[in-house]
Amino acid sequence: MAKMRTVDAAVAILVKEGAIEAFGLPGAAINPFYSAMRANGGIRHTLARHVEGASHMADGYSRAADGNIGICIGTSGPAGTDMITGLYASFADSIPMLCITGQAPVAKLHKEDFQAVDIESIAKPVTKMAMTILEPGQVPGAFQKAFQLMRSGRPGPVLLDLPFDVQMAEIEFDIDAYEPLEASKPAASDVQLNKALDMLLASERPLIVAGGGIINAGASEQLVELAETLNVPVIPTLMGWGTIPDDHKLMAGMVGLQTSHRYGNATFLESDFVIGIGNRWANRHTGGLDLYTQGRKFVHIDIEPTQIGRVFAPDLGIASDAGAALEGLVRLAKERKAAGQLTDYTAWVDAAQQKKGSLQRKTNFDNVPIKPQRVYQEMNSAFGKDTTYVSTIGLSQIAGAQMLHVFGARKWINAGQAGPLGWTAPAALGVVRGKPGETVVALSGDYDFQFMIEELAVGAQFNLPYIHVVVNNSYLGLIRQSQRGFQMEQNVSLAFENINSPETDGYGVDHVKVAEGLGCKAIRVQNPDDLGAAFEKARALIEEFKVPVVVEVILEKITNISMGTELNNLTEFEELAEKGADAPTAIVALLD
């Protein structure tokens, strides 16, 4: 058995587990680990400009493809605390990610040593496991356990903290004898699934609510197969968007107070049965529970048993991996179909499709400054079905979810529950690492973009090309809109006269100059008729230069995006579509 440093054993384990994409910043307390990565050569490392940015890159990489686990690495103290927002974002959305931090020597941990902090205690609430490894012999087992936990049950992140002396210690270790631990995932029984099907088929207007757990399980194809076998409409959640393509006849629209479609809410309110698979009944989806649950029965299938009944008690709860449940449901539904035991839902499906072709928002505005709705219309025209969108929070995300189109799993990548400002740019870089050669388009408001704008330099340095659409109204738009209820507009304007860039016309930060100064390309658009050409040019620029390309769109400053307090009480601030020309990129053409 070979004798080696613990860090050499740890890096060998990462490679064997298939975790070979790392993002981070070296430093004194983690330098031994970096030396092990250099010696091994099996892990690619991307140098971030901020450790929080590195954590979002690792998060984005994990979300980009089935089976990915991004690694975030940093030195001790503030590097670990900088990772906490990234850990929270991945934990909240059930995303596996491994954070590795350096630490002061074991003997110094209680002596207020330089950059020594109890990161284990700080990280525990937002991880599946956080551990400061105090004994060198524990290193292989801790890494082995970390991977098992990240992949078992509801996925999530892990943080391992390595004191400097533990990293340098030598242990006996045989990588050839190392085997990954089997992940633990509960599976529904046929008895449970047949009960769920009995309830569904006894209803007149059933729906399937498809959550992000289906994407985590890599089970989107099974979801579509189940919907097609039963001929039942599907309502994806924001985290489940893409489980069924937007142009599928059974995709009935998203439901909610913000990121929703008018036709999705209308169809949901007419339903009498809902089976939720891999979802968590988030409040932005449900609105008030009295209205959401009134007049309908619920089945809830989730991998985490304590998630069932957390928001409201379903009529039937099943603890199961979404993939295992869908596999069983498809098999049992096909058996019933062969026996002629399925209910005919053609009229219900047609009614949902009719709403999809009539209850639409207008996007075709020609105003200057530009209305945001026109931006998403032009994005639909410019970017094909293979596009992966990345976004996090704000009016840009809400309006984008109302008006953009997504055509597959992991083509809408979004920090849904945590929604940290600044997540979008670094996450997009991680997605590019996870989807080499594919079209990645990020969407930010100006404030989200400014939070971690320095990470654009990472895209320039490492040739990570993507298009970043920045809709700039020089406002904290979502907060400004929410302040309407308080009859105030307080500390939400980002506008100022830029003495170095009068061409920004009072909008403040010159994003074009900043992006160019960070080694990227940038285009500013002020007229809606120029949007199509700008997106076409952006695609040409990322192909030519292999760097991020920013398309800044100057919006009208005051924009209110559709939202409300209940599923039947959304305020539509703009005109609604009345004819096909009002919403020319709608999935189902509006009849004139």
Side-chain angles (χ1 to χ4, degrees):
M1 187 179 295
K3 198 165 189 178
M4 62 180 72
R5 294 179 306 167
T6 62
V7 287
D8 294 306
V11 169
I13 290 170
L14 295 180
V15 173
K16 194 157 188 178
E17 293 277 5
I20 56 174
E21 203 73 56
F23 308 83
L25 285 73
I30 196 64
N31 273 339
F33 196 90
Y34 273 81
S35 72
M37 286 196 295
R38 181 183 177 88
N40 182 285
I43 296 174
R44 179 167 58 180
H45 181 275
T46 301
L47 176 64
R49 296 302 187 266
H50 191 293
V51 186
E52 182 185 338
S55 70
H56 297 327
M57 291 175 201
D59 183 6
Y61 175 80
S62 293
R63 296 175 194 245
D66 292 348
N68 279 8
I69 294 182
I71 309 166
C72 175
I73 308 173
T75 189
S76 58
T81 56
D82 283 344
M83 294 178 189
I84 296 301
T85 300
L87 285 166
Y88 168 41
S90 61
F91 184 76
D93 288 341
S94 306
I95 305 300
M97 177 176 71
L98 178 60
C99 286
I100 301 169
T101 52
Q103 182 58 277
V106 173
K108 299 285 188 180
L109 291 183
H110 301 291
K111 297 182 178 180
E112 297 188 357
D113 202 44
F114 177 66
Q115 292 190 336
V117 68
D118 185 2
I119 193 63
E120 175 184 320
S121 297
I122 295 169
K124 272 184 176 178
V126 288
T127 57
K128 294 192 75 174
M129 178 176 84
M131 179 182 182
T132 297
I133 305 174
L134 301 178
E135 294 293 337
Q138 290 185 304
V139 169
F143 275 80
Q144 188 180 41
K145 182 66 174 178
F147 280 99
Q148 183 192 41
L149 282 174
M150 285 187 285
R151 293 169 173 148
S152 293
R154 181 177 177 179
V158 166
L159 181 138
L160 296 178
D161 186 41
L162 302 173
F164 186 89
D165 53 336
V166 171
Q167 294 179 63
M168 294 296 291
E170 290 191 338
I171 59 171
E172 299 280 351
F173 181 71
D174 184 356
I175 187 60
D176 293 330
Y178 176 90
E179 292 293 340
L181 294 175
E182 184 177 352
S184 173
K185 295 183 179 181
S189 69
D190 282 5
V191 171
Q192 291 173 307
L193 298 178
N194 272 316
K195 176 64 175 176
L197 285 174
D198 287 343
M199 295 173 66
L200 186 152
L201 295 171
S203 67
E204 296 181 5
R205 299 175 301 280
L207 289 173
I208 300 170
V209 169
I214 295 173
I215 293 176
N216 284 348
S220 297
E221 289 184 6
Q222 293 93 323
L223 178 277
V224 174
E225 188 175 8
L226 177 65
E228 291 176 344
T229 301
L230 297 171
N231 196 31
V232 168
V234 176
I235 297 284
T237 67
L238 184 65
M239 294 303 298
W241 195 13
T243 49
I244 184 169
D246 274 8
D247 58 354
H248 196 290
K249 184 178 180 180
L250 293 174
M251 199 292 199
M254 286 193 289
V255 167
L257 304 182
Q258 296 178 347
T259 54
S260 62
H261 302 109
R262 293 180 64 222
Y263 49 87
N265 281 357
T267 294
F268 180 87
L269 290 171
E270 291 185 6
S271 68
D272 62 359
F273 173 86
V274 175
I275 179 169
I277 305 174
N279 67 306
R280 59 173 173 246
W281 313 115
N283 63 339
R284 289 200 299 169
H285 165 80
T286 65
L289 293 176
D290 288 345
L291 178 63
Y292 189 84
T293 59
Q294 182 180 5
R296 54 190 64 86
K297 293 184 179 295
F298 288 87
V299 171
H300 190 197
I301 300 175
D302 196 85
I303 197 168
E304 173 51 52
T306 63
Q307 194 69 26
I308 296 169
R310 175 172 291 185
V311 178
F312 63 86
D315 297 276
L316 174 65
I318 301 173
S320 176
D321 170 68
L326 283 165
E327 183 180 346
L329 286 168
V330 168
R331 173 173 49 81
L332 296 172
K334 285 184 173 180
E335 290 175 3
R336 295 192 185 209
K337 185 176 183 178
Q341 297 174 347
L342 294 186
T343 305
D344 183 2
Y345 292 117
T346 303
W348 171 233
V349 170
D350 289 345
Q353 189 76 349
Q354 188 276 329
K355 292 180 180 64
K356 195 172 180 179
S358 58
L359 299 176
Q360 297 175 9
R361 297 181 172 104
K362 182 176 178 177
T363 59
N364 199 21
F365 295 93
D366 58 6
N367 304 57
V368 178
I370 300 170
K371 282 190 175 291
Q373 292 84 353
R374 178 67 181 274
V375 181
Y376 309 115
Q377 174 183 303
E378 297 297 334
M379 290 173 69
N380 286 333
S381 296
F383 303 118
K385 291 186 176 183
D386 63 335
T387 301
T388 296
Y389 291 108
V390 183
S391 189
T392 182
I393 192 65
L395 288 184
S396 54
Q397 175 236 33
I398 294 168
Q402 291 177 4
M403 297 167 203
L404 290 175
H405 305 317
V406 174
F407 297 99
R410 300 192 186 275
K411 293 189 181 298
W412 171 260
I413 294 179
N414 177 82
Q417 185 174 346
L421 284 164
W423 182 89
T424 307
L429 294 169
V431 172
V432 173
R433 277 293 196 216
K435 293 191 169 191
E438 297 190 27
T439 302
V440 176
V441 178
L443 172 63
S444 289
D446 42 310
Y447 206 43
D448 172 53
F449 185 60
Q450 289 175 23
F451 255 56
M452 303 208 78
I453 197 169
E454 73 279 359
E455 301 302 338
L456 288 177
V458 177
Q461 180 178 357
F462 293 94
N463 296 121
L464 301 174
Y466 77 98
I467 297 171
H468 202 134
V469 180
V470 179
V471 284
N472 181 6
N473 65 350
S474 71
Y475 261 104
L476 312 187
L478 179 56
I479 301 172
R480 183 208 56 77
Q481 185 168 334
S482 70
Q483 286 184 351
R484 295 172 73 250
F486 296 92
Q487 298 181 332
M488 70 176 184
E489 186 178 298
Q490 185 68 31
N491 304 121
V492 290
S493 175
L494 299 172
F496 63 91
E497 294 294 337
N498 190 325
I499 60 174
N500 299 308
S501 299
E503 64 270 25
T504 59
D505 197 24
Y507 273 64
V509 173
D510 189 334
H511 298 113
V512 171
K513 285 182 179 177
V514 175
E516 290 176 344
L518 291 166
C520 301
K521 291 290 185 178
I523 304 165
R524 179 177 290 122
V525 183
Q526 296 175 303
N527 190 300
D529 294 335
D530 296 333
L531 283 165
F535 293 139
E536 183 178 352
K537 182 178 179 181
R539 297 188 74 147
L541 288 171
I542 63 170
E543 183 66 28
E544 180 179 0
F545 295 102
K546 308 299 183 187
V547 298
V549 176
V550 176
V551 180
E552 180 191 40
V553 184
I554 304 301
L555 299 185
E556 61 184 9
K557 288 190 174 182
I558 303 298
T559 297
N560 294 308
I561 299 298
S562 307
M563 63 183 73
T565 57
E566 296 283 353
L567 298 186
N568 63 355
N569 185 35
L570 268 65
T571 301
E572 300 291 344
F573 295 95
E574 301 288 353
E575 303 169 49
L576 298 175
E578 296 181 352
K579 54 185 183 297
D582 291 338
T585 62
I587 289 292
V588 178
L590 192 71
L591 297 177
D592 292 345

